[in-house]
Amino acid sequence: MKNRLPIATLPARLAAAALALLCSAVQAESACPALLQQTQPRLQDEKPVKLCDNAGKVLLVVNTASYCGYTSQYKSLEELHERYRDRGLVVLGFPSNDFSQEPGSSAEIAEFCENTFGVRFPMFAKSHVAAGKGGAVNPLFVALQQRSGQAPKWNFHKYLVSRSGEVVISHASAVDPKDPVFLKDLEKLLKAN
């Protein structure tokens, strides 16, 4: 005859397992920086994406537009995404029509990014990134502005975010992602714990 646990211990074991699962979920949430404790709708289908999935990575957050003089920076952003992905960089693109250069629908923006520049980094639904442009500012951009002291003044404003979410470095639109000054800041964050 096999050793069997009394049925009375089964509820206690289930309760202990449920408590352990709950504790690990709370621990994982607490490991996520406050800056990332939000969801954002994905560009292609508006499916919610938890930004905490990027906890522990260096982020490059950029507001984008399809009809801007800086639109060619998509190519540099994709190259950075590919080059530094294995070292922990994640590029996050946020289309915005705040500067009247992204009138398209989500489907049109997604098609343009993929077909014109081969964009594979995560892109999110069009949102407002600057105050006074006609709607509530995306909460991620509010937090980035508070931490860096800089709001986007134009498309392709870039924020580098440390793995801890505590350090945010702002770069103006004119700074190409492959500019040596930008790359120096990126390398500093990639090397830091």
Side-chain angles (χ1 to χ4, degrees), residues 82-160:
E82 288 297 318
R83 180 176 173 191
Y84 293 101
R85 176 175 43 193
D86 292 341
R87 291 182 57 198
L89 175 68
V90 177
V91 177
L92 303 176
F94 289 83
S96 178
N97 196 38
D98 283 357
F99 306 105
S100 303
Q101 296 183 324
E102 188 59 274
S105 69
S106 292
E108 291 168 332
I109 296 166
E111 182 179 335
F112 173 82
C113 290
E114 186 174 333
N115 293 339
T116 308
F117 294 101
V119 169
R120 299 280 183 259
F121 57 82
M123 294 285 294
F124 295 87
K126 189 161 50 171
S127 62
H128 292 286
V129 299
K133 297 295 183 177
V137 176
N138 182 316
L140 177 60
F141 280 80
V142 170
L144 292 168
Q145 292 166 31
Q146 289 171 344
R147 283 179 170 75
S148 71
Q150 297 289 318
K153 292 180 175 50
W154 200 250
N155 303 305
F156 289 89
H157 188 99
K158 291 159 278 303
Y159 295 100
L160 284 167

